[in-house]
Amino acid sequence: MDEVEVVAAHSERATLRVGHVFLKVDADQARVDVEGEAMSLAPVPTPEVLWREPPVLAVSALAGTALGRLGGRSTASSTAWAAVGAAVRELHEAPLPPWPGRRRRDPDELAAELDEECESLVKNGILPADLVTRNRRFAETAIRPWTPRFTHGDLQIEHVFVDGDEVTGIIDWSEAGRGDALFDLATLTLGHEARLDEVLTGYGTDVDLDVIRAWWSLRSLLGVRWLLEHGFDPFAPGCEVDVLRSRM
C-alpha cells in the first residue's frame, strides 16, 4: 500500500495524498460541492475528479511542481509566470458560475470584515497598532465596486502547478465564485511582488496596480488571525506579517 501523506490539515478540512490520488476531507458539504463544480466549469487545467463521496473528494495528482510557496523563492521562469497570468485571464473571461461566491461578496461586507479584524488584531496584541493602521489605510483602496468575474478565490502560489514553462493545473477551488479579478492577481503574487510584471505580461490587459497592492495589505490583515487559530505561522519569513511590514 502507498504511504499516506498529510498534505495539509486543520479543524475545517484536511488533504491527504495516497500515491497519485489526493483525498480532500471537508466538513462543509457546500465547499466540496463548489470545488467539484468549479473544476468542471473552469476553462483552465485542473485535477481530474475521480470520485466524490461526502465528505471526501478524490482528485488526481498534477504533473509538475507548484509555482512556488509563500515565504520561499520561486524557481519558475519568467515565461512560466507569464503563462500563469494568461491562464488566470482565461478564467476571468469565462462565463460567471451560477453561485455567488462564498465570501466577500460586496464592498460593504468587505469593509465590515476589515473593521472587525483590525480591531481584533490590535485589541488582542497580535500586531502593533501602527502596523495595522498604516496597512488599513492602504487596504481601503481595494474596497470599491468591481465587475464580478469567475475567480478562483484562493489563488495562492502553492495552488498553481507548472512543468517547465507550461501550466499543468490549478488546485483547491473551494472558494471559487463570482469575485474581484484583482483579488486573484494579488493572492497569486502575495510575497512575490516582484513577479507581478511577469504575471501581467501574460494577463495581457491593463489593471489598477494600486488596487492589487491594496489587496496585498487587505488579504494579509484578514488572514493573520485565521492562520494563527488554525496552526499556521503568518510571522514566518516572507509571509503575511512581512508583507504588512514592507508597507511601513
Side-chain angles (χ1 to χ4, degrees):
M1 178 179 289
D2 290 300
E3 183 179 54
V4 176
E5 175 190 357
V6 179
V7 178
H10 51 77
S11 61
E12 295 179 0
R13 47 190 148 166
T15 301
L16 311 175
R17 179 170 183 164
V18 185
H20 296 292
V21 177
F22 285 92
L23 303 176
K24 307 194 70 175
V25 185
D26 198 320
D28 186 335
Q29 181 59 44
R31 202 157 42 206
V32 176
D33 291 341
V34 163
E35 181 150 16
E37 186 69 12
M39 287 191 290
S40 72
L41 294 176
V44 297
T46 63
E48 177 187 0
V49 176
L50 302 175
W51 50 267
R52 180 166 41 173
E53 186 67 35
V56 182
L57 176 70
V59 299
S60 62
L62 292 171
T65 58
L67 187 62
R69 65 180 181 84
L70 185 61
R73 188 175 69 89
S74 172
T75 59
S77 67
S78 297
T79 303
W81 278 88
V84 173
V88 175
R89 175 71 182 276
E90 188 174 1
L91 174 66
H92 291 167
E93 291 185 337
L96 290 174
W99 62 91
R102 292 178 48 83
R103 59 180 178 176
R104 299 166 193 155
R105 298 177 185 175
D106 59 57
D108 289 341
E109 181 179 342
L110 185 58
E113 187 178 1
L114 179 62
D115 286 344
E116 180 180 348
E117 285 301 317
C118 288
E119 180 180 358
S120 177
L121 290 170
V122 174
K123 180 179 179 180
N124 293 299
I126 298 172
L127 293 176
D130 60 338
L131 184 65
V132 172
T133 299
R134 183 169 176 80
N135 276 275
R136 179 177 182 163
R137 187 161 62 248
F138 287 124
E140 288 173 351
T141 300
I143 303 175
R144 84 280 178 226
W146 59 76
T147 300
R149 302 293 185 187
F150 189 161
T151 56
H152 181 278
D154 192 21
L155 196 62
Q156 300 178 48
I157 188 174
E158 295 95 335
H159 293 165
V160 181
F161 280 69
V162 295
D163 188 0
D165 296 334
E166 177 185 358
V167 179
T168 58
I170 300 175
I171 65 172
D172 285 1
W173 291 81
S174 61
E175 302 294 337
R178 305 176 190 178
D180 180 4
L182 300 190
F183 175 69
D184 268 358
L185 293 173
T187 301
L188 176 66
T189 54
L190 185 75
H192 292 268
E193 291 85 349
R195 298 287 200 160
L196 178 59
D197 286 345
E198 297 165 352
V199 171
L200 295 182
T201 295
Y203 196 73
T205 188
D206 290 336
V207 301
D208 191 328
L209 296 178
D210 287 339
V211 173
I212 291 179
R213 296 184 184 107
W215 269 119
W216 289 335
S217 289
L218 184 47
R219 180 181 172 97
S220 297
L221 287 170
L222 295 180
V224 167
R225 186 166 61 94
W226 186 94
L227 290 166
L228 289 171
E229 291 174 352
H230 290 80
F232 301 100
D233 185 9
F235 289 87
C239 292
E240 285 80 3
V241 175
D242 272 357
V243 171
L244 296 173
R245 288 169 176 159
S246 71
R247 310 307 303 273
M248 295 299 286

